[in-house]
Amino acid sequence: MIRLTLSQMRRSAGRLAAAAVAIVIGTAFVAVTLLAGNVITSTTYDSIAAQYTGADLVVRGAAPGGATEDAVRDVAGVATADEQLMSYQQLENGGRTIFQGVLAEPTDPAVLPLTVTDGALPEAAGEIALPTDVAERLDVAPGDQITLARNVLDGDQEVDEQAWTEVREKLTVSGTLDDPYGAFSMMGGAAVAPAADVQGWEADLMGPGESSGEPATLLVTLDEGVDVGQTREAITGAAATAASNAGMDVSAVDVVTPDEHAESVASEMTGGEDVIFTTFVLVFAAIALLVAALVIANTFQVLVAQRTRTLALLRCVGADKSQLRRSVLFEATLLGLASSVVGLLAGLGLGQAALAVGRGMDLGVPLPETITLTPAVVLVPVVVGTLVTLVAAFAPARAATRVAPLAALRPDEAPTAARGAGRVRLVLSLLVAVVGFALLGAGVALSTAAGEPTTGLLVGVAGGVLSFVGVLVSAVFWLPRVVALAGRLVGASGPTARLAAANTLRNPRRTAATSTALLIGVTLVGMMSTAAASARITMDAEFDGRYPVDVTVSTDLSGSGKDATPVPAGLGDTVRELDGVASVLEVPATSVQLAGDGVDEAAQVIARGMDPDEAASVLRSTESLTPLAAGTAVVPENVADVWGVTDGQTLTLTGPDGPLETTAAVTELADDAVVLVPDDLATLDAAAPTTGLWVGLDDPRDAAAVVPTIQDAVADTEAPADVLGAAVERASFQQVIDTALGIVVGLLAVAVVIALIGVANTLSLSVIERRRESATLRAIGLSKAQLRGMLAVEGVLIALVGAVLGVLLGLVYGWTGAAAALGWAGEPAIAVPWRDVLLMLGVALVAGLVASVAPARTAVRTSPVEALATE
Amino acid sequence: MDTTVYVPIPDDAPAAGARPAVTPAVRARALTKTYGRGEAEVRALDGVDVDFAAGRFTAIMGPSGSGKSTLMHLLAGLDSATSGQAFVGSTEVTGLNDKALTAVRRTRVGFVFQQFNLLPMFTAEQNITLPVELAGGTVDKMWLGTLVDTLGLGKRLTHRPAELSGGQQQRVAIARALIAQPDVVFADEPTGNLDSRSGAEVLSFLRRSVRELGRTIIMVTHDPAAAAYADRVVLIADGKIAGDITDPTPESALAGLDALRTVAAR
Ligand SMILES: Nc1ncnc2c1ncn2[C@@H]1O[C@H](COP(=O)(O)OP(=O)(O)O)[C@@H](O)[C@H]1O
Ligand SMILES: [Mg+2]
């Protein structure tokens, strides 16, 4: 039996090719995913390990502060001991602000895994070494000065009375640094400042004598030739004593080697990023494999149909049903195993190539040189690929057992259409689909109308999955009808198309499976791009309302409005001239006292003045400024909340030039200042300086490019002005959506590619099956071009029906998904991503045509003489 | 509109005399076909010269492997000759490219196959009219009616091949071969897959097509009883013309075939 199976396989090698390719792609996908997961794990480990390269020992769980450092330094054999302390600080130069982690400089620079590219490490207080890219962004070089803006806790120790003061200090850039091992790549790089400075900044964040209570990590270097084991114990003792003095948990104190430390930290982190990543991508690999399974099932169905005679003969000479089934399954196992191994090798090759390319590009993360082979990377793809093939062959194997011995005696007939699927399946699958769609609707209703976004989303997702399963399982019943309908449409165009349409209906199961494979991929791609388009529009509307100003340049941020310096004269005009800037509104402001019923007595805010019409020319949405009129103060919601202002109440503002009675109008304006008309502001402060520029951009999508030019213009004036771009946030949000969409679509594209191979597979199998028929058609006057045309129409019909249905389903899922996910952000918008839709249909059309090329070449080679052949 | 009325030719009228035989419907001149090379070379046809008159029903008969099918394939332009010429009417089919051959197949020749070769997804009527549609023409309704009546297919037109008996399927195939009013219809063992009763029926229909509808039919068979339905039998052996019988009877056809075997045996 095995010999027979092998010889049959050899004869059908060409027919198995497409199925094999489908498995190869699917398993390669799995292999690459697992490899990438490994790379993430190992770069995580490497990056953690790099932080400790220079140290001989690492003390963990120690008490923070100088006491521990001193205690450890006193241990015999210890050369240096430094707490690894990082303080996040705001660094500014000109109009640019960067939030940066600053590392306390260790006593022994060898402990620092950073290299100096220019200048030197800080030597004196007030110096700082910056990562190269940060220095570039701040536009400074060694010797230049930057501003450190930090908050200092002042006042009494009574918690209620605590208040923050912003302190601005000048720091001198001592040098620039590179992070060759990516030690701090996960923290956005690290600047270095003298340990005393960094400790001082951290201390200023706490009350006197207070401690963060967070366990600290110390990096220790030892004198040459010291016994590590003994010193380790002595250090543990010293650190433990220091910890118990500080009232901390002594048992947490632990002294390890850098490698041990990196390993334990990395293993804490596994189950984090890499697992999420791997799971996420494996979902797409599973989709690709599902589609591959459909292609495989189709192939085996055709093989069994074509071998009916042989199978029947075998039954006549005494083979029993289980032998036939085993033969088919054995063939599937062999095919699956061989293809999976090829897929694995392809995956490993791809992974290695990707690493090489990645190392060539400067990704900021040092990638390993070679891929890491683990048992999982090798076994999982092979086992999964083989299993999927085997499972896909189950139904065809059962069909093989149904071949009656009598079939051997019947005259040679073209294999007839497969039996329709059972009624139970129809009822069940339709039920599942209906329930699924109902849940989907319920999910949307829950998250929009009922305001239960989390429940709504969960119900919606469950409904989406259920309905999709229902749709796919029931496809065999309704999809051929859709193809028939489409066939009738194209059939009107002539006999070739009519032949093609009739051909697609000869084996409804095969056509359904082929179209379904494509439908899966297209639906998911369509869903993602529809959801992204809807999300974009919904969020645009949301952003317009919330951040009506694209970019603001202001000198009165962070509550220091009292002594605000005005925006330099002429800056408004300069900005207005910049490319990409549509309009600029100069906004005068002053500091005022608020008074009114229920309003906090200490209420002091900034009041801005602007003309509603002029404001409208800058704002994306004037909604939050609609109430603005003489005698009205528009109060942003967050300001109203802080000071206890209620909508509609009478509010007395008092400025340097006197008081003003207004009516408060609380709106969603995203600002920390109240807004008045210019005349009202003049009543409060006749000499109110212009402290802000409101800038409208031509296209907020260009914010990432335009905002830096505004920053440059501001920096040139050397005024202490902040440039805030809501548009930047908006653009980066859009970029997140676009990037996520791009990645997801790229991952789904694998499934679509496999499905398209499936279309070609189905066509070429049909061509082989219809050899005699093609010859007959040629004998009665079908030209070669018509034969090619017939197959092209067949391919296009199968592909387009799958794609059109997929797009429609994708739109439904995309819209409902966006509605369920973004229902909280107001009325969800419904968008049709026309470009993507047309692209997908175009790809399906072209793919259908291309899929018919190879089969058509085989078909036209068939001589009409074969119609007359008897066997 | 084609309003030609097909006047049945009386059974006793000399078939060949119904029209002046200016050019034969089909001709072969020194037609040769070899398969394989060197040691394995098979000379399936060896310099065949033969004419087939228009308006006649001719049978090509010979033992199995004698080259009957090969001759038919070459005459119909389905396969290429090694040397020599084959003509349908005045057109030399041995020299045509695929495009021209397709045109010849659409208008000048029809085929009837041993395995019927109907398209399973189309009804009998759709199968019959397919050649005209493939050629982009319009179906001559009157001619279709005549064919359907003559072949007794009136009640079967909406049936699919699977719902028809073998004899009925072959009658549909004959109608399909005749629908475009070709100059000649080739039939290769048209009764090979039929029981004797359906076979006899099909053969009478072929003869009626010639006698009553004025068609030209060349039929390949190894069965003397089938050959007896023809007006003339061309005998072939070892790829060469080996005899000619006019107005054959089953007996004379069998005798002719036996004579070939004796020759071969000697
Ligand atoms: N495609 C082919 N390749 C090789 N030999 C062939 C081929 N077709 C026919 N022959 C050989 O040519 C001879 C004539 O065949 P054929 O015309 O089919 O005979 P018939 O139809 O009279 O039985 C036979 O010997 C046959 O084996
Ligand atoms: Mg033959």
Side-chain angles (χ1 to χ4, degrees):
Chain A
M1 209 63 199
I2 287 181
R3 232 184 32 238
L4 183 91
T5 308
L6 289 176
S7 85
Q8 274 187 339
M9 259 186 110
R10 249 195 316 276
R11 265 198 301 163
S12 324
R15 289 159 220 200
L16 292 172
V21 171
I23 308 165
V24 166
I25 297 179
T27 45
F29 195 167
V30 175
V32 170
T33 308
L34 296 174
L35 281 177
N38 282 355
V39 168
I40 293 180
T41 313
S42 74
T43 45
T44 308
Y45 173 85
D46 290 348
S47 139
I48 294 166
Q51 288 178 41
Y52 308 99
T53 41
D56 293 321
L57 286 171
V58 178
V59 184
R60 304 189 290 200
T68 313
E69 280 182 1
D70 293 341
V72 174
R73 278 177 194 146
D74 285 346
V75 174
V78 170
T80 67
D82 297 282
E83 185 177 336
Q84 195 186 37
L85 181 64
M86 193 180 255
S87 175
Y88 284 89
Q89 297 298 343
Q90 185 172 321
L91 307 179
E92 301 176 354
N93 184 41
R96 299 164 198 221
T97 301
I98 285 174
F99 203 62
Q100 178 63 52
V102 186
L103 204 60
E105 189 177 5
T107 323
D108 182 356
V111 174
L112 210 57
L114 302 172
T115 53
V116 178
T117 50
D118 192 11
L121 283 172
E123 270 154 25
E127 288 190 338
I128 187 166
L130 297 175
T132 316
D133 60 321
V134 173
E136 250 163 49
R137 264 149 61 206
L138 290 176
D139 197 16
V140 291
D144 290 348
Q145 291 208 317
I146 57 168
T147 306
L148 166 73
R150 61 189 182 95
N151 288 320
V152 172
L153 187 70
D154 57 12
D156 307 303
Q157 289 181 24
E158 303 279 326
V159 177
D160 293 355
E161 303 292 314
Q162 284 178 353
W164 299 96
T165 322
E166 194 190 67
V167 174
R168 288 168 170 273
E169 297 165 351
K170 290 283 178 197
L171 296 179
T172 307
V173 178
S174 68
T176 55
L177 303 170
D178 258 0
D179 182 3
Y181 313 109
F184 300 97
S185 59
M186 281 181 283
M187 303 153 206
V192 175
D197 283 2
V198 178
Q199 282 157 6
W201 302 336
E202 283 294 294
D204 283 347
L205 290 170
M206 293 171 279
E210 251 181 83
S211 139
S212 70
E214 291 286 320
T217 301
L218 269 66
L219 302 185
V220 179
T221 58
L222 303 180
D223 293 328
E224 209 132 331
V226 167
D227 179 60
V228 176
Q230 274 178 10
T231 324
R232 189 168 170 163
E233 257 165 51
I235 295 174
T236 314
T241 314
S244 87
N245 289 344
M248 289 188 55
D249 182 8
V250 177
S251 65
V253 177
D254 189 14
V255 179
V256 292
T257 62
D259 276 346
E260 287 167 353
H261 182 57
E263 207 157 300
S264 69
V265 175
S267 76
E268 268 166 42
M269 286 178 82
T270 43
E273 259 180 80
D274 57 338
V275 170
I276 293 169
F277 166 83
T278 314
T279 317
F280 174 75
V281 182
L282 281 181
V283 168
F284 294 93
I287 293 168
L289 281 171
L290 171 66
V291 172
L294 286 173
V295 176
I296 298 161
N298 254 1
T299 305
F300 275 94
Q301 229 133 32
V302 173
L303 285 181
V304 168
Q306 285 174 343
R307 289 184 199 152
T308 304
R309 234 174 203 292
T310 318
L311 292 170
L313 262 172
L314 286 171
R315 293 279 279 134
C316 281
V317 300
D320 69 10
K321 289 187 172 202
S322 70
Q323 279 176 312
L324 295 191
R325 184 175 46 232
R326 275 205 306 274
S327 163
V328 173
L329 293 182
F330 178 63
E331 187 171 352
T333 311
L334 278 187
L335 174 72
L337 200 62
S339 314
S340 302
V341 169
V342 174
L344 170 68
L345 294 177
L348 297 182
L350 270 177
Q352 185 60 54
L355 274 188
V357 172
R359 283 171 67 83
M361 302 188 314
D362 188 20
L363 295 181
V365 183
L367 291 173
E369 241 167 80
T370 52
I371 47 176
T372 330
L373 286 188
T374 59
V377 167
V378 175
L379 290 180
V380 171
V382 173
V383 170
V384 169
T386 310
L387 274 183
V388 165
T389 316
L390 195 58
V391 169
F394 272 156
R398 223 179 34 192
T401 64
R402 278 203 227 98
V403 172
L406 205 67
L409 308 172
R410 283 197 209 117
D412 177 39
E413 274 170 19
T416 45
R419 207 175 52 94
R423 194 166 285 271
V424 184
R425 177 167 165 185
L426 174 67
V427 173
L428 273 183
S429 55
L430 286 183
L431 200 68
V432 169
V434 168
V435 170
F437 281 117
L439 279 178
L440 193 60
V444 173
L446 269 176
S447 91
T448 51
E452 290 277 353
T454 319
T455 326
L457 191 59
L458 283 179
V459 172
V461 168
V465 171
L466 265 188
S467 59
F468 198 39
V469 168
V471 164
L472 292 183
V473 177
S474 62
V476 68
F477 302 100
W478 54 265
L479 214 142
R481 272 161 230 232
V482 180
V483 176
L485 197 74
R488 216 166 300 147
L489 293 179
V490 300
S493 73
T496 319
R498 206 159 54 246
L499 272 171
N503 279 336
T504 54
L505 293 179
R506 296 168 77 150
N507 198 327
R509 248 184 191 210
R510 195 188 305 167
T511 303
T514 313
S515 279
T516 306
L518 193 57
L519 177 117
I520 293 174
V522 173
T523 300
L524 296 175
V525 172
M527 172 178 88
M528 293 317 298
S529 72
T530 306
S534 300
R536 210 176 287 152
I537 291 188
T538 308
M539 295 312 276
D540 270 356
E542 174 71 9
F543 272 118
D544 285 347
R546 208 173 274 269
Y547 303 109
V549 189
D550 287 341
V551 181
T552 52
V553 178
S554 60
T555 48
D556 59 3
L557 276 180
S558 329
S560 52
K562 286 170 271 190
D563 35 53
T565 28
V567 172
L571 181 59
D573 290 331
T574 315
V575 172
R576 200 172 281 125
E577 302 285 292
L578 292 173
D579 274 347
V581 172
S583 50
V584 174
L585 180 66
E586 304 192 4
V587 186
T590 188
S591 187
V592 299
Q593 196 80 35
L594 295 187
D597 276 352
V599 177
D600 195 313
E601 279 169 26
Q604 177 131 33
V605 297
I606 295 168
R608 303 189 200 286
M610 67 186 69
D611 178 76
D613 291 337
E614 279 177 22
S617 72
V618 173
L619 301 181
R620 297 250 150 236
S621 158
T622 50
E623 206 181 319
S624 51
L625 282 181
T626 326
L628 183 58
T632 303
V634 175
V635 185
E637 234 168 26
N638 58 324
V639 174
D641 286 349
V642 170
W643 302 117
V645 178
T646 48
D647 190 33
Q649 79 166 178
T650 306
L651 201 60
T652 310
L653 310 178
T654 313
D657 291 340
L660 175 73
E661 190 119 316
T662 61
T663 312
V666 177
T667 70
E668 282 192 341
L669 183 67
D671 198 352
D672 49 11
V674 300
V675 178
L676 308 166
V677 295
D679 286 349
D680 285 352
L681 183 71
T683 314
L684 293 166
D685 182 355
T690 297
T691 59
L693 299 177
W694 285 14
V695 184
L697 302 185
D698 287 329
D699 184 352
R701 275 164 229 274
D702 299 334
V706 180
V707 171
T709 67
I710 299 178
Q711 281 174 332
D712 286 343
V714 173
D716 288 344
T717 66
E718 300 198 349
D722 289 302
V723 178
L724 273 197
V728 175
E729 188 180 341
R730 172 197 289 245
S732 69
F733 175 78
Q734 275 161 351
Q735 209 183 353
V736 168
I737 291 188
D738 290 346
T739 312
L741 178 70
I743 292 172
V744 169
V745 167
L747 294 173
L748 288 172
V750 178
V752 174
V753 167
I754 295 179
L756 292 176
I757 291 174
V759 175
N761 184 37
T762 299
L763 282 184
S764 57
L765 292 174
S766 302
V767 162
I768 295 169
E769 201 171 85
R770 301 198 305 242
R771 232 181 145 76
R772 173 189 294 277
E773 195 176 296
S774 302
T776 305
L777 284 167
R778 293 276 290 128
I780 64 173
L782 188 81
S783 67
K784 281 186 177 177
Q786 279 177 317
L787 185 53
R788 279 200 199 94
M790 179 181 92
L791 287 165
V793 173
E794 262 185 82
V796 168
L797 259 181
I798 295 176
L800 263 192
V801 165
V804 168
L805 291 172
V807 163
L808 291 178
L809 265 180
L811 285 175
V812 170
Y813 286 132
W815 287 333
T816 48
L822 298 170
W824 54 268
E827 192 66 18
I830 282 186
V832 179
W834 284 113
R835 196 198 48 167
D836 299 359
V837 165
L838 290 179
L839 193 71
M840 277 187 279
L841 296 184
V843 166
L845 182 81
V846 172
L849 287 175
V850 171
S852 77
V853 169
R857 198 173 309 150
T858 319
V860 298
R861 244 188 271 135
T862 313
S863 155
V865 176
E866 292 189 29
L868 298 121
T870 34
E871 194 61 339
Chain B
M1 261 318 276
D2 188 352
T3 51
T4 322
V5 177
Y6 297 94
V7 185
I9 302 162
D11 233 352
D12 55 353
R19 1 173 145 166
V22 186
T23 27
V26 175
R27 278 185 295 153
R29 289 292 172 269
L31 202 54
T32 301
K33 175 78 180 177
T34 52
Y35 289 108
R37 266 164 194 237
E39 287 283 295
E41 190 185 276
V42 177
R43 203 164 258 265
L45 274 192
D46 193 0
V48 169
D49 286 294
V50 65
D51 285 15
F52 297 91
R56 299 288 295 264
F57 182 7
T58 311
I60 301 174
M61 198 170 68
S64 186
S66 56
K68 307 182 293 288
S69 297
T70 307
L71 175 59
M72 196 196 96
H73 296 164
L74 296 194
L75 292 175
L78 292 176
D79 206 350
S80 58
T82 309
S83 67
Q85 294 165 300
F87 298 86
V88 170
S90 54
T91 313
E92 189 196 332
V93 294
T94 31
L96 296 180
N97 64 15
D98 185 78
K99 210 165 179 179
L101 280 174
T102 302
V104 167
R105 278 185 226 128
R106 280 179 177 177
T107 52
R108 314 274 299 275
V109 303
F111 290 99
V112 177
F113 309 97
Q114 180 176 349
Q115 319 260 352
F116 325 139
N117 290 5
L118 299 179
L119 299 192
M121 64 281 192
F122 287 153
T123 63
E125 182 171 4
Q126 287 171 326
N127 265 292
I128 294 172
T129 57
L130 191 59
V132 177
E133 282 166 19
L134 287 178
T138 42
V139 177
D140 180 343
K141 286 275 157 39
M142 189 119 65
W143 179 232
L144 176 63
T146 308
L147 284 177
V148 168
D149 285 347
T150 312
L151 292 164
L153 289 169
K155 291 189 186 128
R156 305 284 170 207
L157 286 181
T158 57
H159 293 211
R160 283 176 208 281
E163 299 157 344
L164 297 174
S165 73
Q168 288 165 340
Q169 287 192 51
Q170 197 59 303
R171 272 144 56 194
V172 171
I174 293 170
R176 179 176 69 181
L178 290 171
I179 189 70
Q181 304 194 22
D183 296 349
V184 57
V185 169
F186 292 101
D188 191 355
E189 310 268 9
T191 57
N193 268 7
L194 296 175
D195 59 67
S196 56
R197 202 190 134 86
S198 314
E201 229 173 55
V202 161
L203 288 164
S204 339
F205 281 121
L206 286 176
R207 186 162 62 185
R208 278 180 71 189
S209 311
V210 173
R211 300 272 162 89
E212 296 176 18
L213 308 175
R215 300 291 106 197
T216 306
I217 294 180
I218 299 173
M219 171 179 78
V220 164
T221 184
H222 64 274
D223 177 9
Y229 280 81
D231 298 320
R232 172 191 171 207
V233 172
V234 172
L235 290 167
I236 184 167
D238 287 337
K240 295 192 178 81
I241 301 295
D244 208 319
I245 308 170
T246 318
D247 292 326
T249 60
E251 293 74 27
S252 64
L254 182 61
L257 199 58
D258 278 345
L260 294 183
R261 294 215 171 99
T262 341
V263 173
R266 250 194 301 160

